[in-house]
Amino acid sequence: MRKKTIGEVLRLARVNQGLSLEDLQQKTDIQLDLLEALEANDFDKLPSAFYARSFLRKYAWAVDLDDKIILDAYESGSMVTYDEIDIDEENAGRRRSSRQRASYLPLFYFALISIAIIAFVTYYVWQYVSRNQTVDTASTSYSVVQSEKSSETSSNPSSQKDSSSSSSSNNALTVSGSGQSLTASYSGAKGPVTIKISVTTVTSWISVSGTDLANGVVLSPENTSVTTTLSPGSSTIITLGVVEGTTVTVNNQVLNTSAINTQMGTITLTINN
């Protein structure tokens, strides 16, 4: 046994399992440059101490290390006393290549099954569309009557006034920007606005500045969503540790995050009256 830095222990455990950094990225959903920073003990490159602890824990789990030992060393700023790991990197590389070759066969069978399913669904949809090409005359007539009635109603001044009032009360959510940061604006707020953040299958750390979520919370398939509120005239920064698979809604309107092309991202949201 001897003392090693946290980065040395992580790297040796990864190589001993025959994993490349790319393999580890797929297992942990941590960006490649941040994995390199962990192995180089360059923790200042991480967004915050919270991220450092979270990423160290996920890395340790991925390579079957005791995450408590790693986190204790990080908190105390000390070396890790750990069993010596003899590494033959050349043999580790061969093990990795062998494992990758072995994984091709299940992928081949999966592809065949997927193609068969797609072909079946396509045939079923085509049959369904063919059977329903005949237009229901009664339904068409009903639609025409409804359209005429709607036209008559819209010609009524009182109806037009009500429609205009309803239209003016609609709330608008606009989004701009791209890359790692977006800017969003919610207009027409008459009272507190509900912000809901949810996930499906991913695990993501999130925070909403100026709210009860300012210190951050981890969402996962076991804890899928959180909500908070913002007052009209306020502004906040929403931080998403994992953008893909995370949904942000503002008063039940989905905030489009597709322009963010990085794993992590931020959204500056302003609530206007």
Side-chain angles (χ1 to χ4, degrees):
M1 298 181 67
R2 71 178 181 87
K3 290 186 177 182
K4 306 176 187 293
T5 65
I6 294 174
E8 285 178 316
V9 172
L10 295 178
R11 178 183 175 279
L12 290 176
R14 171 178 63 78
V15 176
N16 192 50
Q17 292 195 13
L19 297 173
S20 67
L21 282 171
E22 289 75 14
D23 295 332
L24 199 62
Q25 182 184 22
Q26 293 182 358
K27 292 185 70 174
T28 62
D29 287 330
I30 301 174
Q31 289 179 254
L32 194 61
D33 59 334
L34 298 182
L35 291 174
E36 292 173 346
L38 293 176
E39 291 190 354
N41 299 297
D42 188 9
F43 303 116
D44 291 338
K45 191 174 181 180
L46 303 178
S48 66
F50 176 89
Y51 273 97
R53 288 190 291 270
S54 176
F55 290 170
L56 285 171
R57 182 181 291 108
K58 292 175 72 175
Y59 195 125
W61 290 344
V63 295
D64 297 327
L65 289 177
D66 188 337
D67 62 302
K68 186 178 185 301
I69 294 176
I70 301 298
L71 292 176
D72 287 345
Y74 172 76
E75 296 291 349
S76 62
S78 62
M79 306 280 279
V80 181
T81 302
Y82 220 75
D83 290 331
E84 181 70 23
I85 305 174
D86 294 326
I87 301 297
D88 184 342
E89 299 215 19
E90 182 179 351
N91 289 337
R94 282 200 292 267
R95 288 198 301 271
R96 181 168 61 252
S97 299
S98 175
R99 184 180 59 192
Q100 290 173 343
R101 286 196 298 271
S103 67
Y104 292 156
L105 191 58
L107 288 175
F108 174 74
Y109 287 130
F110 178 77
L112 285 179
I113 294 173
S114 299
I115 292 172
I117 292 174
I118 292 172
F120 173 78
V121 171
T122 302
Y123 175 77
Y124 179 82
V125 171
W126 178 78
Q127 290 285 349
Y128 179 82
V129 171
S130 298
R131 288 196 301 267
N132 290 275
Q133 284 182 337
T134 303
V135 179
D136 188 339
T137 304
S139 297
T140 303
S141 300
Y142 176 78
S143 297
V144 171
V145 172
Q146 287 291 90
S147 177
E148 291 175 352
K149 182 178 179 181
S150 175
S151 177
E152 291 173 359
T153 303
S154 65
S155 65
N156 187 299
S158 176
S159 176
Q160 288 180 336
K161 181 177 179 181
D162 293 341
S163 176
S164 175
S165 174
S166 175
S167 175
S168 65
S169 66
N170 287 338
N171 303 118
L173 177 63
T174 59
V175 181
S176 61
S178 62
Q180 190 172 5
S181 300
L182 298 180
T183 300
S185 175
Y186 183 81
S187 303
K190 303 302 182 183
V193 174
T194 300
I195 309 298
K196 179 179 180 181
I197 305 176
S198 58
V199 299
T200 52
T201 60
V202 302
T203 297
S204 175
W205 180 86
I206 64 96
S207 70
V208 183
S209 66
T211 70
D212 55 335
L213 302 177
N215 292 328
V217 64
V218 176
L219 297 181
S220 66
E222 291 75 33
N223 178 33
T224 58
S225 66
V226 290
T227 59
T228 188
T229 58
L230 291 172
S231 301
S234 62
S235 181
T236 186
I237 296 177
I238 302 172
T239 303
L240 305 179
V242 178
V243 176
E244 185 174 356
T246 303
T247 301
V248 179
T249 59
V250 182
N251 268 6
N252 296 321
Q253 294 189 47
V254 176
L255 196 155
N256 185 358
T257 60
S258 61
I260 298 179
N261 55 21
T262 57
Q263 178 178 331
M264 295 181 292
T266 60
I267 304 165
T268 301
L269 174 63
T270 301
I271 306 300
N272 299 314
N273 295 325

